[in-house]
């Protein structure tokens, strides 16, 4: 028996798959929620969880190891200063996959991959944030 050996190649070459997963994980950390197919979400989840686990200990070595995978400096900084501290007490399972159904064009399983502590903003919060931003701009002009 050959259980749990291998991985889903997603019908792509090694370099294409690696680039796609790097982009997906970077987008996940940037927006904290992405919509993709179920198979891609499962592949990206394992990479994202390993990076979050490494980012929980903020050291030069860990930053360099994660920077090998995430090339965007802002996202890297967000991972170490914002996302990882939020997950400090959690022993794993930093992401969740929510199934949405089937895509219209090719009937692929579509899912949302998001961080566990992701919260949608309310309309009132958005309005308050817009107002704060406008006030800051107005004060900067004076």
């Amino acid at each position: 028996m050959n259980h749990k050996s291998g991985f889903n190649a997603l019908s792509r070459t090694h370099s294409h798959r690696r680039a796609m997963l790097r982009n997906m994980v970077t987008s996940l950390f940037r927006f904290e929620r992405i919509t993709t197919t179920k198979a891609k979400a499962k592949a990206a989840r394992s990479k994202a969880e390993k990076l979050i686990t490494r980012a929980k200990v903020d050291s030069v070595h860990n930053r360099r190891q994660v920077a090998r995978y995430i090339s965007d400096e802002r996202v890297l900084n967000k991972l170490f200063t914002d996302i990882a501290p939020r997950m400090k007490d959690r022993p794993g399972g930093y992401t969740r996959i929510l199934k949405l159904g089937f895509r219209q064009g090719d009937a692929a399983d579509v899912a949302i991959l998001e961080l566990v502590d992701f919260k949608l903003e309310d309309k009132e919060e958005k309005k308050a944030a817009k107002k704060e931003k406008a006030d800051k701009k107005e004060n900067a002009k004076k």
Side-chain angles (χ1 to χ4, degrees), residues 54-55 57-68 80:
R54 187 165 287 273
V57 177
D58 192 358
S59 66
V60 175
H61 178 67
N62 284 344
R63 278 190 180 259
R64 287 180 178 164
Q65 291 296 312
V66 173
R68 288 171 54 194
F80 277 90

Side-chain angles (χ1 to χ4, degrees), residues 1 4 13 27-28 35 41 47 53-54 56 60 62 67 69 71 74 81-82 100-101 104-105 117-118 121 125:
M1 277 182 248
K4 287 195 86 165
T13 62
S27 294
L28 174 65
T35 304
K47 298 287 185 187
T53 300
R54 187 165 287 273
K56 285 167 75 173
V60 175
N62 284 344
Y69 202 80
S71 57
R74 284 188 191 148
T81 58
D82 181 31
L100 291 178
Q104 184 74 36
D117 61 352
F118 177 78
E121 285 188 28
E125 289 177 7

